Amino acid sequence: MTFDELFDDEEKSPAGESQPPQGEQNDRVNGEYHFKNGYTQRIYSDAHYVRADETTVPPRYYVPPEKPQKESRPASKRKGVGLGAMIAACLICALLGGLGGGALVGTVMDSRVAALEENVSALGAAEKLVRPAAVPASGTTVSASMDGTAMSAGDIYDLACQQVVGVTTDVTYTNFFGMTSSAAVSGSGFIISEDGYVLTNYHVVEDAVKNKLDINVILHDGSRYTAQFVGGEADNDVAVLKIDASGLNAAVIGDSDALRVGDAVYAVGNPLGELDFSMTSGHVSAKDRVIRTSTSPSGVAMFQVDAPINSGNSGGPVYNDQGQVVGIVTAKPAGSGVDGIGFAIPIKDASSITGDLLTKGYVTGKAHLGIVVGENGRRYNEIYAQYYGLPMGVYVDGVSEGSCAEKAGIETGDIITKFDGAEVKSFDELRAAIKRHHAGDSVEIEIYHADEPRTVTVVLDEEKPE
């Protein structure tokens, strides 16, 4: 029986029906990709943008001044009052009212004007607190430390206010009732050049790029720009924007390789899409975590921090204690009940990607095998393999013409069982293995070809966008 007959003969499947894709069985839980480590499974999601109709507006609490309670007076015995005394009292009140009415009204008005002036002053002070200052009170511009001297948290925040931006766009989606609706989404980013280049996560602007919608960048002083999408890379979750501005305060890029577990870090962004220019602090909790998200199912190398990360923080910078950017806030654990765990892309990785996006429009050096995994490949799983006595691996539905796979002799219907010595049982595993290599690397691939195992040597191609 040929492999094509194997898939055409659907009724012979021991399960009696089409099986769900192997990759989905292993790599998705309730629609979320998750990171697997031994027998434990952790679900992660993008720190992500926030829809306008899902934003959490913080309550604005007001505590009224406490009013003194009136003391209850003991009941007193009433005494009768004569008619003459009452008439005399009324006459006295009339005379006093005529003499003191004008003075009384003037006193009341003066007190009300004074109270109003006090309220205006209080509101002015509150307004200053609502919008944090972009520069210190002295008026001098804060700069990152270049001599290794640690900066205060306040100075790092003042610096971040000059470099962090909000990234917003309007997206169109289908609601519960099947009607097309639109909503704003928001994330964060930061300035990387004086002439207006901005770095953020690709997932923050992905919907806008795919649907050709405007991307807005908002500076701390409220200036709003329509940004140009320069380039982005979904697998590594990095995007570059450009705004028409000059004289901006560009972030100083630090050395993410020099980070040590326990080092102090600061994240600044727009959590919940509402609490703009918020700073959280913490420490580096771990390095070299391979985190898989919905936009990066094959995984991205990140470092872990315990600074609180929330929706809307995506794309914002992570500063070290010298005011230098060492990472991009990207992901957090999905679901509730988890605190103090966030992930950031090391700035060294992001910088190399940014350089490629600026000069060539795509990320260079990415390895590419040149095989196609279609419907048959997605349906091929352990049940099929066991039933038909075939090895478990990745079923090849097609091979791209002129690719390194074709040159090595890989053909449609082959089953890839090992890549560079490591077993691969799903396309996600194969894709992750390819991602660990670079274009030009020579690797050995074990395949099941024409009912017998074979080993072929492949020099990996470079992946280029269409």
Side-chain angles (χ1 to χ4, degrees), residues 295-313:
T295 54
S296 304
S298 55
V300 178
M302 304 187 200
F303 63 89
Q304 180 182 333
V305 298
D306 60 3
I309 301 297
N310 291 285
S311 297
N313 272 122

Side-chain angles (χ1 to χ4, degrees), residues 142 203 256 320 326 340 367 411 421:
V142 179
H203 74 256
S256 52
N320 61 15
V326 291
E411 300 177 359

Side-chain angles (χ1 to χ4, degrees), residues 373-394:
V373 177
E375 184 66 24
N376 290 341
R378 289 192 295 270
R379 290 160 54 191
Y380 187 81
N381 54 32
E382 291 182 358
I383 296 178
Y384 276 107
Q386 293 176 3
Y387 187 78
Y388 291 100
L390 300 172
M392 187 55 202
V394 178

